[in-house]
Amino acid sequence: NTLISADPRNNSSPLQTFVKAKRKINDIFGEIDDYVHDAVQYITATEGNDDLIQKSEAALVEEYVGKVTGIREVLKRDHMKVAFFGRTSNGKSSVINAMLRDKILPSGIGHTTNCFLQVEGSENGESYLMTEGSDMKQNVKSVGQLAHALCEEKLGESQLVRIFWPRDKCLLLRDDVVLVDSPGIDVTPNMDEWIDKHCLDADVFVLVVNAESTLMLTEKNFFHKVSTRLSKPNIFILNNRWDASVSEVEYIDQVRSQHSERAADFLVRELKVCSAKEAGERIFFISAKEVLQARLQEQKGLPAHSGALAEGFQTRYFEFQDFERKFEECISHSAVRTKFEQHSQRGKNIAVEVRDVMEKVYERALALQKEKTYLKKEVYDKLNFTEQQLMLITQEMKEKIRFMVEDVEQKVSKALSE
Ligand code: GTP
Ligand code: MG
């Protein structure tokens, strides 16, 4: 926690856009859930009253209970995912460690990444790993132990190992970023399987290339394949090991602009995933090794540049921070759009459809009420009429009886006198 609160980027991070949007959409779906439950409760109360609600309408509203629960589950788990690719030894694991500000992933000689490693925040502040297809949480106390545990497992190169790390140790993890490391793309015959298994839900891809060489065909092919499966993937290109290039090459500016042009050409003209202007914010020249080293020094309270560093360290450090900022803006916006837009629309539709049903029920209830009042009046009038009729009839009868009685009386008296 001290690490996070000491970080000046804490709440100004662009990742907060995602975090806030996630909180908001979760709250809204909580309200939709209440609304749907209320509607179902009402419907259950009027069960059997077919004049009021049709069976199909009741079924429609009841079905939404499960659907809303499902969406809420997905929303709770939603995160931003970034996947790192590149040829072996280009520094993928080192870049992730630099971003996490700690030596979490094994890197370097003897620590070739041989399966997919996904680093994510753990809920309970513990660190452990889980392998694919198993629920067992294996405790991990240190990087050495993690490396050992990974060697122990017989893992296929497409398999996924999830590494859970305390959220409060890193801003990215706290803000729901999940980072995926991969084996070198030059060592796999299974690119299609990789893409299907690990890439389709990634919000951002980071291609880590070696600044000492040039963009390789295997690296290009991989992203050509990715962009046939995903429309306009967000791709960053990191020219890593820039420290090594700087100290060796005489015409360093020319090398830089040549690498930049090729990388931009790849993104803009070949993959058509961004504009030339955007490409300028997607290509960086960095040294992951230096950044990690500097950050470890800073955490010990020492100045960032206190290790043995090559010339131009400060500029490369700034460029790495610039990359992180652009990356955070990109992943946050992209994830909000892809993960929440559809759900917002879905939530709106559910609310509208439930309202439509309830409105129809209300209209029918009103109509029924009106009909009853009218009926009451009709019956009343009828009763009145009958009463009058009855009175009339009674009157008539009375008269008739009187006549009869009089007639009889007359006849009797006549008979008597005769
Ligand atoms: P695999 O997992 O084997 O595919 O490699 P990787 O791409 O994960 O590379 P990793 O991070 O393991 O780095 C390979 C070696 O390059 C390590 O010895 C790192 O210390 C070194 N390295 C990484 N980044 C830099 C850098 O910016 N400059 C220099 N000079 N060395 C670096
Ligand atoms: Mg690696």
Side-chain angles (χ1 to χ4, degrees):
N1 263 337
T2 44
L3 188 132
I4 283 180
S5 51
D7 195 313
R9 300 178 319 145
N10 200 358
N11 284 320
S12 66
S13 159
L15 297 174
Q16 286 294 314
T17 310
F18 177 87
V19 175
K20 284 180 190 152
K22 179 171 167 178
R23 204 174 299 139
K24 202 160 182 183
I25 196 168
N26 272 297
D27 288 350
I28 291 172
F29 264 87
E31 281 172 30
I32 294 177
D33 205 1
D34 289 346
Y35 180 47
V36 173
H37 272 101
D38 283 354
V40 167
Q41 209 173 13
Y42 175 79
I43 287 168
T44 318
T46 58
E47 201 97 79
N49 199 338
D50 291 347
D51 292 340
L52 220 51
I53 187 154
Q54 291 164 6
K55 285 207 162 56
S56 60
E57 290 170 331
L60 180 89
V61 176
E62 275 157 17
E63 222 170 73
Y64 281 142
V65 175
K67 282 187 183 156
V68 171
T69 311
I71 295 173
R72 290 189 76 184
E73 281 300 310
V74 172
L75 283 175
K76 256 185 240 147
R77 280 199 313 266
D78 258 344
H79 52 238
M80 297 170 265
K81 177 171 156 181
V82 48
F84 295 77
F85 290 98
R87 283 164 52 86
T88 191
S89 286
N90 280 358
K92 301 175 291 296
S93 305
S94 302
V95 170
I96 296 176
N97 284 338
M99 289 174 81
L100 293 172
R101 293 156 186 261
D102 204 349
K103 214 167 181 310
I104 296 174
L105 297 178
S107 69
I109 300 161
H111 293 307
T112 295
T113 311
N114 55 7
C115 65
F116 279 78
L117 296 176
Q118 173 166 310
V119 188
E120 54 194 294
S122 74
E123 292 304 334
N124 49 12
E126 285 170 19
S127 38
Y128 56 90
L129 67 82
M130 283 169 86
T131 52
E132 214 175 302
S134 157
D135 287 336
M136 206 175 71
K137 293 178 179 174
Q138 304 183 37
N139 258 316
V140 182
K141 286 277 165 284
S142 64
V143 183
Q145 208 188 346
L146 174 65
H148 183 72
L150 291 173
C151 285
E152 289 283 284
E153 299 282 340
K154 294 263 170 294
L155 295 161
E157 45 139 60
S158 298
Q159 263 182 303
L160 181 74
V161 173
R162 296 169 73 184
I163 300 166
F164 293 85
W165 210 252
R167 280 173 183 272
D168 59 7
K169 285 208 174 145
C170 175
L171 272 175
L172 290 176
L173 301 181
R174 186 204 66 176
D175 288 347
D176 277 341
V177 178
V178 165
L179 303 96
V180 179
D181 193 7
S182 64
I185 40 178
D186 44 335
V187 298
T188 182
N190 293 331
M191 273 194 196
D192 293 314
E193 192 188 350
W194 279 18
I195 293 170
D196 286 344
K197 260 187 98 174
H198 304 289
C199 297
L200 299 182
D201 64 339
D203 300 291
V204 167
F205 295 89
V206 177
L207 168 60
V208 182
V209 299
N210 186 347
E212 291 161 301
S213 66
T214 186
L215 257 181
M216 302 273 183
L217 209 59
T218 31
E219 292 166 330
K220 286 186 165 189
N221 281 344
F222 179 76
F223 282 97
H224 272 294
K225 274 189 183 244
V226 169
S227 64
T228 59
R229 301 297 307 274
L230 290 169
S231 79
K232 290 209 173 187
N234 298 305
I235 304 170
F236 283 82
I237 298 180
L238 295 183
N239 295 277
N240 192 35
R241 307 174 78 95
W242 193 229
D243 56 324
S245 313
V246 167
S247 47
E248 279 172 26
V249 182
E250 207 176 326
Y251 305 103
I252 198 67
D253 291 340
Q254 269 159 281
V255 173
R256 184 181 169 124
S257 57
Q258 198 178 57
H259 282 346
S260 295
E261 271 165 38
R262 285 193 185 154
D265 191 59
F266 175 55
L267 295 180
V268 179
R269 203 182 49 78
E270 276 189 50
L271 294 179
K272 300 185 176 63
V273 292
C274 65
S275 67
K277 189 171 164 282
E278 285 166 334
E281 308 210 311
R282 294 290 174 85
I283 301 158
F284 298 89
F285 291 78
I286 54 127
S287 167
K289 191 179 171 182
E290 277 179 346
V291 172
L292 177 61
Q293 196 180 329
R295 287 183 168 170
L296 291 174
Q297 294 286 346
E298 280 175 325
Q299 274 166 48
K300 284 190 222 146
L302 299 165
H305 55 268
S306 50
L309 296 163
E311 203 186 310
F313 156 74
Q314 200 63 54
T315 319
R316 287 188 296 276
Y317 193 19
F318 283 149
E319 189 152 344
F320 193 86
Q321 288 174 323
D322 191 24
F323 152 69
E324 288 179 305
R325 185 90 193 173
K326 302 279 161 41
F327 156 78
E328 288 178 8
E329 281 166 7
C330 177
I331 198 167
S332 183
H333 283 115
S334 165
V336 167
R337 222 180 320 113
T338 56
K339 313 235 146 115
F340 300 152
E341 197 171 76
Q342 222 181 356
H343 283 138
S344 306
Q345 198 51 45
R346 198 95 187 81
K348 217 157 113 184
N349 289 347
I350 292 173
V352 166
E353 280 186 40
V354 173
R355 193 196 62 201
D356 283 354
V357 169
M358 297 320 273
E359 246 171 30
K360 275 187 201 146
V361 171
Y362 177 70
E363 273 161 24
R364 278 186 216 126
L366 269 188
L368 273 175
Q369 198 185 26
K370 230 182 192 171
E371 206 176 305
K372 272 190 184 154
T373 328
Y374 177 74
L375 270 178
K376 255 195 221 155
K377 192 170 173 300
E378 213 169 60
V379 168
Y380 182 77
D381 290 348
K382 259 189 198 152
L383 265 177
N384 253 356
F385 176 76
T386 327
E387 233 165 68
Q388 280 170 8
Q389 291 294 95
L390 215 67
M391 271 161 63
L392 277 180
I393 293 169
T394 324
Q395 196 78 25
E396 232 168 71
M397 291 290 274
K398 254 182 11 208
E399 296 284 300
K400 251 188 201 165
I401 291 171
R402 211 187 58 196
F403 276 128
M404 258 166 64
V405 172
E406 275 177 7
D407 188 42
V408 172
E409 250 174 11
Q410 268 176 19
K411 280 179 183 157
V412 169
S413 20
K414 202 179 163 191
L416 277 177
S417 59
E418 276 173 3

